Amino acid sequence: MNRTSSGAPLAVTCLLALSLSVAAQTPPAKDSAATAKKTTAKKAAGEKADPLANERKAVAASLVTALAEDARGFRDETLRARVQARAADALWESDPEKARALFRRAWETAETVDGERARRAEDERRAQSSLKDVELRRSGPLPNVRPEVLRLASRRDRALGEEFIAKLTEAKDKETQAFITSPGQVADPDTAQTAEVTTPNPEKPPAEISARLGLARDFLEEGDVERALLFADSALGGVTTEGINFLSALREKNPSAADRRFAQMLQRAASDPQSDAVTVSVLSSYALTPFLYVIVSRNDTHSSRQRERIVAPVMSQELRALFFRSTAQILLHPIPPPDQDHTLAGRAGLYFTITRLLPYFDSFDANIASELRGQLGTLAPDAPERYRNGKDPNLTRGLVEEDPSRNEDREALERAERAPTPEERDSSFARAALAAARKSDPHARDYIEKISDTDLRQRTRAHVDFMLVTHALDNKDAMQALQMARTGELSHVQRAWALTEIAGLMVKPDQTRAREILDEAATEARRIGGGDPDRARALVGVATQMFALDHNRVWELITEAAKAANSATDFTGEDAEIVSRLSIGQGASTTSFGAESFDLARIFGLLAKDDLYRAVELAKNFNGEAPRAVATLSIARAILEKQKPVARNQ
């Protein structure tokens, strides 16, 4: 070939000289046309470089379409709805009309599933309840099928999302009403009767409000503030815990937008005669304790915390003044006689809320604070002693920082020394070990040895060792984590998970060591019983981390994982979680992590790009409908979804 191309250099030189000459004589106006022509040529060249791209997309689309049809016959209706919705989402860019029809089919299935679940819950409630055993039950979240369909559809088409929200509202959301007390009632434990209340419960918003705010939070977490506000704005008219939490999250991204909406909410609440102390408690979360609210109603006290550290926002003087004036106006409503008090908070809830916020009112306006103290005097006879003497910890929860110098493990050890019984002493030693483990203190193991009860000692050691491993991983201390993973009292799946995570930390600095650790993880996975879904999950995790090191080995591992999955009826291929729980007396400690690398989605997305047709055949090896669907959808997404451009440093 070298001999036949001997004249090439001269030709190139002549062409180069000619091109330079033409470029020098070309008017600037034609530069853009030339650039566009070059861009088109490069694009065409790119398409020619991958002539099978369209073929792969056609294969992926047919896979999804076939799966959506198969889903009609799935025995599990929940899975049927989810697969139809996810198939619609995967097909959207290539065939939006077919995807829209699939979304509607998924919604119909989800309505059936949720309706049946609501009926079952109501039957169970009726079977368990009696007039002598009445309790106030806060409704749980919406069933998780319709919201999932709604989230996927709304990401693709706002109009379709609005259509589903309207249907959700028309259904009146029976799930949130299938409780002993309705949103407009509150149980009276003394009379076993229910009293009508006029205050809307901020924790039980209508289905439409809850759906909109749930979507808005999802979009906000993805960084799409504009779309989040499109769904949230019409749901922020009333005061709800979901709405306040959304505004607190919005404030982290756009303070002015959040403060403006909070100001409007304050004004509406102040002019609403139904607002009461519970309303104020929820409003105060935004102004004083973001992501933490403390609510006291007639016969219930509870708090909810979404962040470890609570930091009050720095608001403008105008907004801060509006907050205190608006909430004072609500708290200073005339107090009705006890038998005519239809507020959600009741007299005790009003006393609690005023007491909790009074120090702030003292700093804001002495006259308003004086009026509030007058309210307290009227309410005092009906307030519990713990509110009057200030001993209830909820009175300062989130408002006063915990003492950073507090030594919880030392306090637990001191309680152990004073404990009157062996059981209480053992519980104190166990709590000391947990407190030390939370600080990654190796003395945690020493405290465990002081526990005399063999069973509690073993359970505490297992839980503490897992905590120490996870802390080392959080700190990216691979060597410390490896030592604990090898010597700690971990379950097989916990050890396999820890080893795969450690190998992930080691891939870049030491591939040989990473491979050895993954071999250990695979051995640990095989120690898990054949019918246990954790065996399949752990093998998937090993394969996922191995992909960066040895593709051939990955195919072998996934084939083995499929065989393990077929022996485990509970394996779904998603939502893997590593959990450790320890019960101590009346308390409990739980440490849990979502194990995404143990799910099928990531690894099958990688395999699809490595060898599409082989990945398709491998997905067919799963007998279960759920794992087969997860694998198939992951393959299709990897081919159909547009890849985000990789940012390059200039």
Side-chain angles (χ1 to χ4, degrees), residues 343-364:
T343 61
L344 185 63
R347 296 165 77 87
L350 177 57
Y351 187 97
F352 170 90
T353 305
I354 293 176
T355 304
R356 176 172 163 83
L357 298 181
L358 193 56
Y360 293 90
F361 282 107
D362 279 330
S363 300
F364 171 69

Side-chain angles (χ1 to χ4, degrees), residues 432-448:
L434 292 178
R438 281 193 287 270
K439 299 184 294 186
S440 300
D441 185 345
H443 286 102
R445 283 184 152 190
D446 298 334
Y447 302 151
I448 293 171

Side-chain angles (χ1 to χ4, degrees), residues 59-363:
V59 170
S62 66
L63 277 174
V64 177
T65 302
L67 178 62
E69 288 303 313
D70 289 345
R72 288 180 178 233
F74 283 179
R75 297 182 298 275
D76 185 338
E77 287 189 311
T78 299
L79 178 64
R80 185 189 309 167
R82 284 175 170 162
V83 169
Q84 288 170 338
R86 294 174 187 181
D89 185 53
L91 280 176
W92 187 267
E93 292 180 3
S94 59
D95 193 341
E97 287 309 310
K98 182 182 289 185
R100 194 173 279 108
L102 273 175
F103 271 130
R104 291 195 172 98
R105 189 189 304 171
W107 185 264
E108 291 173 2
T109 305
E111 284 185 318
T112 301
V113 173
D114 290 350
E116 178 59 29
R117 186 173 299 173
R119 284 189 292 274
R120 238 180 2 251
E122 175 65 8
D123 290 343
E124 291 174 2
R125 181 196 67 76
R126 292 182 185 279
Q128 295 174 1
S129 64
S130 67
L131 290 176
K132 294 181 180 180
D133 182 24
V134 179
E135 62 177 351
L136 178 63
R137 301 184 183 182
R138 294 189 296 279
S139 63
L142 291 172
N144 59 5
V145 188
R146 278 179 295 177
E148 181 174 337
V149 178
L150 178 59
R151 282 194 296 272
L152 291 173
S154 299
R155 284 190 177 97
R156 296 298 190 179
D157 185 340
R158 183 189 172 195
L160 189 60
E162 293 287 354
E163 176 186 322
F164 290 161
I165 288 175
K167 289 182 177 181
L168 187 64
T169 306
E170 290 170 8
K172 297 181 181 179
D173 204 5
K174 295 180 181 179
E175 299 84 358
T176 60
Q177 300 177 22
F179 294 92
I180 292 176
T181 54
S182 70
Q185 295 178 323
V186 62
D188 185 337
D190 296 324
T191 63
Q193 300 294 323
T194 55
E196 292 297 325
V197 296
T198 59
T199 309
N201 190 331
E203 293 186 277
K204 295 180 182 178
E208 177 187 0
I209 301 299
S210 184
R212 287 184 177 280
L213 291 171
L215 282 173
R217 280 298 295 269
D218 288 342
F219 290 132
L220 196 61
E221 288 172 3
E222 294 169 5
D224 192 343
V225 175
E226 182 178 357
R227 183 174 294 187
L229 291 175
L230 285 175
F231 281 97
D233 273 338
S234 61
L236 295 172
V239 178
T240 64
T241 54
E242 292 179 59
I244 288 295
N245 282 333
F246 170 78
L247 288 179
S248 293
L250 175 63
R251 198 176 199 282
E252 295 180 337
K253 298 179 182 294
N254 190 328
S256 61
D259 285 353
R260 185 165 60 251
R261 287 164 173 79
F262 181 61
Q264 294 168 352
M265 186 180 288
L266 283 171
Q267 292 167 340
R268 286 190 292 265
S271 61
D272 185 350
Q274 292 185 315
S275 295
D276 78 339
V278 170
T279 310
V280 172
S281 293
V282 177
L283 289 169
S284 68
S285 170
Y286 182 90
L288 302 174
T289 59
F291 305 106
L292 166 69
Y293 59 83
V294 180
I295 291 178
V296 174
S297 57
R298 289 172 179 266
N299 59 345
D300 188 36
T301 302
H302 65 280
S303 63
S304 177
R305 186 177 192 138
Q306 295 186 7
R307 299 288 174 87
E308 184 66 26
R309 188 162 180 262
I310 305 300
V311 180
V314 179
M315 298 190 303
S316 68
Q317 291 295 330
E318 293 78 11
L319 182 59
R320 197 167 185 78
L322 179 62
F323 165 73
F324 284 116
R325 291 195 186 98
S326 300
T327 53
Q329 185 174 333
I330 297 169
L331 295 173
L332 289 171
H333 281 172
I335 302 174
D339 60 342
Q340 298 177 26
D341 187 347
H342 302 314
T343 61
L344 185 63
R347 296 165 77 87
L350 177 57
Y351 187 97
F352 170 90
T353 305
I354 293 176
T355 304
R356 176 172 163 83
L357 298 181
L358 193 56
Y360 293 90
F361 282 107
D362 279 330
S363 300

